[in-house]
Amino acid sequence: MPPRTRKADVAQAPSTMKELKDTLWKAADKLRGSLSAAQYKDVILGLVFLKYVSDAYDERREVLRTELGGDDADPVQLEMDLDDPDEYQGYGVFLVPDNAHWDYLSKYAKGRNEPGESPKSIGLLIDEAMDAIMGANESLLGTLPRIYNRDNIDQRRLGELVDLFNSAKFSRHGDQKARDLMGEVYEYFLGNFARAEGKRGGEFFTPPSLVRTIVEVLEPDTGRIYDPCCGSGGMFVQSEKFVEYRHGDAQDLAVYGQEAIEETWRLAKMNLAIHGMDNKGLGTRWGDTFARDQHPGVAMDYVMTNPPFNIKDWTRNIEDPRWVFGVPPANNANYAWIQHVLYKLAPNGSAGVVMANGSMSSNSNGEGDIRARIVESDLVSCMVAMPTQLFRSTGIPVCVWFFAKDKKAGSGGAVDRSGEVLFIDARELGYMVDRAERALSDGPDGDIARIADTYHAWRGTKSAAEKRLTYEDVPGFCKSATVDEIKAAGYALTPGRYVGTANSAEDLEPVDQKIARLTKELHSTMDSSDVLGLRVREILAALTHD
């Protein structure tokens, strides 16, 4: 068993973000080749979580020991107080039983057994540690991976992996809490694993540019927030960051979500737990949203989601009450996702949904009729065409649909936008992270702020008032169009149809002067060409003579 106090460990300097990333990515390299990207993702993230909870528990225990008087306190009472669960859980720290502590696991990482002790499989010990932590912390029940004692995992490499993790210390880093540091590392890993997995990576990781754009436009601050295919929970985490950035209380947000893939559902549960968010709203297990809505009758204030695009094989019931605007086609679930989102919205709710660009104009299999009914019901508030290559895993160009159940003045904005839709063409925004991936710039003058500020100015929100923003159409970028204009365009919602082209710089040069200038430039070019031609002939003649 690990000793109750580990002063040497606590005194260890906390790792910087760069050190953590370098160390932990090297750890991933130890498994690369022996396991697929999907498999080693789960192995690594589970170990990262285990190391984090152990370090956080140690740190809280040492702080508590000092608060209780340390060596001057009654040893029996001190031990009882140090084992009080409320002293940990009340401070956002998970309980770590002795057999789940990192010191205990590390001892067996390379077969360092006690004299006369039977060899212990490090994989089995880690699985038992996961069970122990889930048993001690209700919010983690059914969440942590138990995959370490399988035949396809090299136990020698796993031991080396655990040994390498010893150099990572999740503790305070300046004024940054261990939880914030862990959250950043977790997101770093999710992003890297999404790149490594290629296409499948999009199932659990939405590009940060898209997540932040949706959050900045919707500005979720209080109420129920929902994602019907939540992946690893990025929308929820970014919403929490938004609230804290605005000096609000993240506890005012109630998280609800659903995820069909077991491994991804576990990632989301862990991700929320790491960020100190209640993950009970993700249910007790994974499940198909179309087959069974796990949150029936719960009206959502905000829906933010990046559903899988163009699903051809989905659970379809033509009598489902969610199909208010028409039954979605059997060979494409795009309008099933859209209608599910609208069905879940509260009377004053709003939503942001990432979709393939084809959803904005498709007329096949009744999709155009469904879109027309949604537009005529005045539920679309804004359409944003995004730049290409935001997803490393797919080349499909995407857009974001924003919905609002009520666009009247006072229902989230000072301007009555009933019967209008804001179109934003953001295809020219962004910068290349590398040759394969584009991102939108952050900051008060960045691309994300430009999109969000345009929407808030159009709607007349509190943010627009604070920033003194006023809306006007900008040719080539944004346009407020009426439902009648959209109807005249066959209910197509492609921003490029409405925003037009950017105004070019006005040419003030008189026509006669421009003709004279261009003629002079042309003559000069021709003269230079004649001189160059003569010189080339001279060189060729000299070569021939030689």
Side-chain angles (χ1 to χ4, degrees):
M1 290 219 174
R4 284 292 187 178
T5 34
R6 289 165 289 271
K7 292 185 179 179
D9 281 355
V10 173
Q12 178 185 336
S15 303
T16 65
M17 177 54 62
K18 184 179 185 307
E19 289 170 344
L20 281 171
K21 288 179 177 179
D22 289 346
T23 297
L24 299 180
W25 197 248
K26 284 178 186 174
D29 278 334
K30 282 193 172 291
L31 289 178
R32 215 186 317 268
S34 62
L35 293 174
S36 69
Q39 290 174 309
Y40 74 68
K41 172 184 89 268
D42 298 328
V43 170
I44 294 294
L45 288 175
L47 287 179
V48 169
F49 182 81
L50 205 56
K51 184 66 165 72
Y52 158 69
V53 296
S54 187
D55 285 352
Y57 180 84
D58 275 356
E59 183 177 53
R60 174 58 191 158
R61 192 176 183 87
E62 189 63 19
V63 169
L64 184 58
R65 174 181 290 277
T66 302
E67 291 175 350
L68 295 172
D71 295 337
D72 296 330
D74 176 81
V76 176
Q77 185 62 46
L78 176 62
E79 199 66 23
M80 291 175 60
D81 291 338
L82 287 175
D83 289 338
D84 182 358
D86 291 340
E87 292 291 352
Y88 299 88
Q89 294 174 328
Y91 290 82
V93 176
F94 294 106
L95 298 176
V96 180
D98 290 341
N99 70 323
H101 198 281
W102 193 264
D103 284 356
Y104 178 70
L105 299 174
S106 178
K107 183 176 75 167
Y108 293 101
K110 288 189 173 180
R112 294 190 290 267
N113 301 332
E114 297 293 339
E117 188 178 38
S118 300
K120 295 188 178 182
S121 161
I122 184 63
L124 177 61
L125 291 174
I126 293 173
D127 281 347
E128 291 175 348
M130 295 295 184
D131 282 337
I133 289 179
M134 286 190 285
N137 300 274
E138 184 182 358
S139 66
L140 296 176
L141 284 176
T143 297
L144 304 183
R146 296 187 75 265
I147 55 176
Y148 297 90
N149 197 38
R150 296 181 179 176
D151 292 338
N152 65 331
I153 293 183
D154 186 321
Q155 296 298 302
R156 179 186 60 79
R157 287 192 182 188
L158 184 59
E160 292 175 354
L161 194 57
V162 171
D163 208 47
L164 181 59
F165 271 55
N166 288 331
S167 62
K169 182 68 177 175
F170 289 107
S171 184
R172 291 190 181 276
H173 174 53
D175 293 329
Q176 188 177 34
K177 295 179 181 178
R179 169 170 282 148
D180 298 334
L181 192 64
M182 175 60 191
E184 190 172 339
V185 167
Y186 198 85
E187 290 166 32
Y188 164 80
F189 265 77
L190 287 174
N192 277 283
F193 283 126
R195 295 184 179 97
E197 286 204 40
K199 276 194 173 183
R200 189 178 176 274
E203 293 176 1
F204 67 86
F205 186 77
T206 302
S209 291
L210 280 170
V211 178
R212 286 197 292 267
T213 298
I214 292 173
V215 171
E216 291 294 330
V217 168
L218 294 184
E219 296 190 312
D221 54 1
T222 183
R224 298 186 181 102
I225 178 173
Y226 173 64
D227 187 343
C229 41
C230 64
S232 57
M235 297 287 185
F236 303 133
V237 171
Q238 196 62 39
S239 297
E240 180 215 28
K241 291 180 179 179
F242 171 81
V243 172
E244 291 185 346
Y245 174 75
R246 294 292 184 90
H247 306 293
D249 187 350
Q251 298 303 314
D252 291 337
L253 284 178
V255 169
Y256 292 83
Q258 190 163 339
E259 172 56 45
I261 300 171
E262 177 185 356
E263 294 84 356
T264 310
W265 173 80
R266 293 182 189 278
L267 288 179
K269 295 275 278 190
M270 279 197 291
N271 201 8
L272 294 190
I274 286 166
H275 285 87
M277 302 177 72
D278 188 347
N279 62 20
K280 292 179 183 177
L282 269 58
T284 56
R285 65 180 288 111
W286 56 99
D288 183 340
T289 302
F290 293 136
R292 186 175 74 86
D293 177 7
Q294 293 181 349
H295 308 288
V298 182
M300 306 298 178
D301 299 294
Y302 303 97
V303 181
M304 301 185 291
T305 187
N306 169 36
F309 308 144
N310 306 325
I311 296 179
K312 298 186 182 301
D313 183 18
W314 60 284
T315 308
R316 180 174 180 260
N317 176 4
I318 62 174
E319 296 182 359
D320 196 310
R322 288 175 284 189
W323 314 148
V324 174
F325 304 98
V327 179
N331 66 346
N332 196 315
N334 287 348
Y335 277 88
W337 287 117
I338 287 173
Q339 290 192 83
H340 173 76
V341 167
L342 293 173
Y343 188 79
K344 300 296 291 186
L345 279 180
N348 288 316
S350 55
V353 183
V354 181
M355 275 281 143
N357 275 2
S359 65
M360 297 187 289
S361 57
S362 172
N363 290 314
S364 61
N365 300 309
E367 288 182 333
D369 294 333
I370 295 174
R371 185 173 60 253
R373 295 185 191 109
I374 292 172
V375 171
E376 289 292 347
S377 297
D378 205 17
L379 293 170
V380 182
S381 60
C382 179
M383 298 295 300
V384 183
M386 286 292 188
T388 59
Q389 295 180 275
L390 291 178
F391 285 87
R392 179 181 288 265
S393 57
T394 177
I396 298 176
V398 302
C399 59
V400 183
W401 295 60
F402 288 100
F403 300 102
K405 274 294 188 78
D406 189 349
K407 292 189 282 186
K408 295 183 178 67
S411 59
V415 181
D416 187 346
R417 289 297 182 180
S418 301
E420 294 181 67
V421 176
L422 174 64
F423 290 93
I424 298 177
D425 190 343
R427 289 176 297 174
E428 299 302 317
L429 301 185
Y431 64 96
M432 296 304 295
V433 177
D434 52 38
R435 289 188 298 177
E437 185 176 4
R438 181 182 295 273
L440 298 177
S441 58
D442 247 330
D445 299 317
D447 299 325
I448 295 172
R450 185 181 180 190
I451 294 169
D453 285 350
T454 300
Y455 175 83
H456 293 303
W458 179 77
R459 193 70 180 87
T461 64
K462 181 180 178 181
S463 292
E466 291 172 350
K467 296 182 179 181
R468 298 182 180 180
L469 301 172
T470 56
Y471 177 80
E472 62 179 25
D473 292 343
V474 177
F477 180 68
C478 63
K479 161 78 174 177
S480 183
T482 66
V483 170
D484 286 340
E485 289 177 280
I486 297 171
K487 181 179 180 180
Y491 294 102
L493 296 177
T494 310
R497 283 177 173 257
Y498 302 94
V499 302
T501 57
N503 291 330
S504 56
E506 187 176 0
D507 189 351
L508 302 178
E509 186 178 14
V511 175
D512 56 342
Q513 292 182 18
K514 179 181 288 188
I515 293 174
R517 176 177 59 79
L518 292 176
T519 300
K520 183 177 180 181
E521 290 175 2
L522 180 59
H523 285 160
S524 177
T525 301
M526 293 170 66
D527 289 343
S528 298
S529 176
D530 290 342
V531 171
L532 182 59
L534 181 60
R535 178 57 181 153
V536 168
R537 290 189 183 91
E538 291 174 351
I539 293 173
L540 289 174
L543 289 173
T544 302
H545 180 72
D546 292 343

